[in-house]
Each structure stands twice: as structure tokens, then as C-alpha cells.
Amino acid sequence: MDVTSTEEVVAQLKAALEGVGIVLPSLRVDPVTGASEEPFALVALGRCNVRTAVRLADVLRACAPEEVLRARVREVNRESARTRSRQNR
């Protein structure tokens, strides 16, 4: 996984969501962690209405079977942990 600024990640996520018809109006860099010395700020997904939540769930279900999605999440988490470990050396 390439190291990308949190702002770039938020922009990529926003574009990807918009590409499948989903808008999360409160999507942003978390202001508290974004202003800290942490290398990776949190992304605040924010709140959305029920229609948007249903659409998001539908898109996620359609994109990957449950086990494939879980495996990918585990892989991304491992990559993130390795990156943090290297940065703490």
C-alpha cells in the first residue's frame, strides 16, 4: 500500500463512492487526529440518511462476496500494521 496523505485518501474514497452513486456529506479528515503528530489521521465517515446507508450496503454486498471482502480487510490491516511498525523503528 502506498503511503498517501489522509486528504488524498479522503478524496479517493469520495470519488469512489460517488462513482457508485453514494455521497457521504460528512466525509472528511478527522480534525483532532488530523491536527496531531500521528502519521495517519483518522477518516471521519460521518453520518448519512437511511437511503444512503442502504445503498452503501447494497454496493458493498455486490462488489465482493463476504469472505473475499473480509480477506481483503485483513490484508489491508496487516499492511497497515507493517507500515506502522516500520515507521516506529
Side-chain angles (χ1 to χ4, degrees):
M1 185 168 126
D2 294 331
V3 177
T4 308
S5 78
T6 307
E7 291 84 4
E8 290 172 314
V9 170
V10 169
Q12 291 172 7
L13 178 57
K14 183 176 184 177
L17 288 168
E18 287 175 351
V20 292
I22 296 172
V23 175
L24 296 179
S26 302
L27 179 63
R28 64 190 172 125
V29 176
D30 174 69
V32 174
T33 59
S36 73
E37 296 297 318
E38 288 293 315
F40 298 104
L42 296 176
V43 174
L45 298 175
R47 303 182 314 179
C48 64
N49 64 36
V50 171
R51 270 194 197 138
T52 301
V54 168
R55 176 76 179 122
L56 181 56
D58 289 345
V59 166
L60 290 172
R61 276 193 293 273
C63 285
E66 193 171 316
E67 286 306 311
V68 172
L69 182 59
R70 283 188 183 138
R72 179 66 182 134
V73 168
R74 285 191 296 270
E75 178 184 336
V76 168
N77 285 340
R78 282 191 300 271
E79 290 173 9
S80 179
R82 282 193 296 268
T83 300
R84 282 192 307 272
S85 176
R86 279 188 233 121
Q87 289 177 341
N88 290 332
R89 290 183 191 168

